Amino acid sequence: MPERYAEADPIRRVPTNVPTYCVHSAKDERVPFGQSVRYIRAARQAGDDISLIAARGNHTDCITVGHIDFELVVHGLEELASMAHGTRVGTHRRAPIHLRDRPASWRCRAVC
């Protein structure tokens, strides 16, 4: 049912007009990294404020508590929340966050 896949395609939803972080790893064994790159390109061209957070683990590491990729997600959520309240935690807008540049203050604080 190709129409269902087309309907679920996030590229068809841009612009979202919502600041967005995409967390993805080039080592993801299930979803090609290029898929996120294409989405981000389309979203930026449509005027969205979107960034790619470059993870390093496999597909599920970003939801594995304690993994460095999970910390990237937590930081992204904290930064988006701070933007909603008129303050910014960091300056990672429109640029990838690489693990080597990760602030020492990034820690897992909550699990939802």
Side-chain angles (χ1 to χ4, degrees), residues 63-101:
I63 60 168
T64 302
V65 177
H67 193 278
I68 190 74
D69 290 353
F70 181 83
E71 292 183 26
L72 293 173
V73 172
V74 170
H75 175 74
L77 291 171
E78 288 173 342
E79 186 163 329
L80 290 170
S82 72
M83 291 170 64
H85 292 94
T87 60
R88 289 196 57 83
V89 172
T91 58
H92 305 296
R93 202 170 175 174
R94 299 208 183 275
I97 297 173
H98 297 284
L99 295 178
R100 67 181 175 275
D101 302 324

Side-chain angles (χ1 to χ4, degrees), residues 5-96:
Y5 288 105
E7 188 175 321
D9 185 354
I11 289 179
R12 293 183 59 179
R13 304 284 184 245
V14 297
T16 64
N17 300 312
V18 176
T20 304
Y21 289 111
C22 293
V23 178
H24 203 158
S25 171
K27 294 180 182 177
D28 189 321
E29 72 282 3
R30 296 182 191 167
V31 179
F33 188 73
Q35 185 170 320
S36 288
V37 172
R38 284 188 301 278
Y39 174 72
I40 287 170
R41 187 177 301 128
R44 283 185 182 160
Q45 288 174 349
D48 277 342
D49 178 3
I50 188 167
S51 296
L52 175 61
I53 299 174
R56 291 199 177 169
N58 66 36
H59 185 75
T60 59
D61 286 338
C62 67
I63 60 168
T64 302
V65 177
H67 193 278
I68 190 74
D69 290 353
F70 181 83
E71 292 183 26
L72 293 173
V73 172
V74 170
H75 175 74
L77 291 171
E78 288 173 342
E79 186 163 329
L80 290 170
S82 72
M83 291 170 64
H85 292 94
T87 60
R88 289 196 57 83
V89 172
T91 58
H92 305 296
R93 202 170 175 174
R94 299 208 183 275

